[in-house]
Amino acid sequence: MVESLPQFILLLIWKWRLVILLIAAGIGLRLLVATIETMLLFPAPSPSRASLELPEGARSQRLKTSVGSVDAVFLPPLVASEGQVPLLIYCHGNGNLIDFLLKRFDPFRQAGYAVLLPEYPGYGRSEGAPSEQSIRQAVLAAYEWAVQQPEVDPNRVIGWGRSLGGGAVCLLSKERKLASLILESTFTRVTDAAQARYGWAARLMRNRFDNLSAVCEFDGAVLILHGTHDRIVPVEQAIQLDRSCRASELVILPCGHNDCDSANQIALEFLQRQFPV
């Protein structure tokens, strides 16, 4: 037994080395996946501490969530209305802020629509950190506040998401009644979009944003806008989303991921057909 002691100790050492190597590999893999998620999903612009310069009639609102307070901006119509109006909730892409979007929706407001711009946790002046669950909380809080505004018709709320924002409005559609969806340059699942760039490691991502299951369950009209030259989210994912919808309109545009300039006009025409004011 004494003769076997050195061999036993050596075996024990090798076993501990193997355990340490496995732990290190696991930590390294988790860091790799976290890096992928940050690069692909949440490369937010530099935090903004400046106060918003609101356009005519706009109202900003600070909303409480479990991850901290987040911003939202409500843009009422620029034309008089006899009754309540449809509300367009726009969720932006990962490299944007609501600060940059305040004038973009003037044509929608002039056409008689109200617009809500929710900010994500960790973006702009909003507290917390972005994740699938924290973004879900932010858009839910924004929705609940907005449908209480007297000029809003809660039965005519439309969700429009671009890129990452598609994941945000699809999350909202699973928990609140939306009359319609507009999905621009967005993915089936974020893991599907990531796999082409990062391979098998993408399957380990914690943030899934399963838009495919959301559109399968959605019973309203869906407009899908996507560029043929999109190198971030392949156009095939838009086609798959379209095939999974009960009632959808797919518009393929001659653009990439961030330069589909005609999307606004197509979306406005879609709204005017679906929800005339």
Side-chain angles (χ1 to χ4, degrees):
M1 185 158 180
V2 175
E3 292 178 357
S4 65
L5 186 60
Q7 185 176 359
F8 169 76
I9 293 173
L10 184 62
L11 181 61
L12 189 61
I13 290 172
W14 276 107
K15 284 184 177 180
W16 275 108
R17 283 182 177 177
L18 180 59
V19 170
I20 292 170
L21 284 172
L22 289 173
I23 292 173
I27 293 172
L29 184 59
R30 176 47 60 191
L31 289 173
L32 172 63
V33 172
T35 300
I36 291 173
E37 290 189 309
T38 300
M39 292 173 59
L40 182 69
L41 282 177
F42 308 124
S46 299
S48 174
R49 300 305 169 201
S51 58
L52 279 173
E53 295 184 10
L54 296 175
E56 178 186 349
R59 305 197 291 270
S60 64
Q61 181 68 23
R62 198 75 173 166
L63 303 166
K64 292 186 180 298
T65 74
S66 68
V67 299
S69 297
V70 296
D71 278 339
V73 172
F74 178 78
L75 304 169
L78 291 172
V79 294
S81 174
E82 294 182 359
Q84 293 180 316
V85 300
L87 171 69
L88 176 64
I89 301 178
Y90 181 85
C91 294
H92 61 69
N94 60 15
N96 220 325
L97 294 175
I98 60 174
D99 305 45
F100 310 150
L101 302 171
L102 297 177
K103 299 295 291 181
R104 173 180 174 177
F105 293 95
D106 281 358
F108 294 83
R109 301 177 66 195
Q110 289 165 355
Y113 298 93
V115 180
L116 176 69
L117 303 175
E119 191 57 280
Y120 305 143
Y123 279 62
R125 291 153 295 278
S126 293
E127 299 171 350
S131 70
E132 184 171 7
Q133 286 308 310
S134 69
I135 288 174
R136 169 186 162 276
Q137 288 188 44
V139 295
L140 277 170
Y143 172 94
E144 296 293 354
W145 175 80
V147 295
Q148 299 300 318
Q149 304 311 300
E151 57 264 75
V152 169
D153 181 353
N155 296 312
R156 292 187 291 170
V157 179
I158 304 98
W160 179 359
R162 199 190 80 78
S163 192
L164 172 64
V169 297
C170 282
L171 286 172
L172 180 61
S173 75
K174 289 185 173 184
E175 301 199 40
R176 297 295 183 271
K177 178 64 177 177
L178 297 180
S180 191
L181 286 176
I182 302 173
L183 302 177
E184 179 188 352
S185 304
T186 198
F187 39 79
T188 49
R189 304 177 187 89
V190 76
T191 49
D192 297 336
Q195 190 168 20
R197 298 176 65 182
Y198 300 107
W200 59 267
R203 292 294 165 186
L204 301 177
M205 294 172 65
R206 293 170 299 172
N207 298 281
R208 298 303 178 108
F209 290 103
D210 188 355
N211 297 344
L212 192 61
S213 69
V215 298
C216 285
E217 298 168 8
F218 192 71
D219 58 6
V222 181
L223 172 65
I224 300 172
L225 306 169
H226 214 98
T228 53
H229 313 308
D230 193 328
R231 295 183 179 181
I232 297 176
V233 180
V235 69
E236 288 76 17
Q237 295 193 32
I239 295 170
Q240 189 176 356
L241 287 170
D242 175 57
R243 289 173 177 169
S244 301
C245 291
R246 300 177 188 178
S248 61
E249 178 182 344
L250 174 63
V251 180
I252 304 297
L253 303 168
C255 56
H257 189 71
N258 295 312
D259 60 345
C260 295
D261 296 333
S262 60
N264 264 27
Q265 183 58 37
I266 296 170
L268 178 56
E269 292 169 359
F270 172 79
L271 288 179
Q272 290 173 323
R273 291 195 305 273
Q274 296 288 330
F275 310 101
V277 291

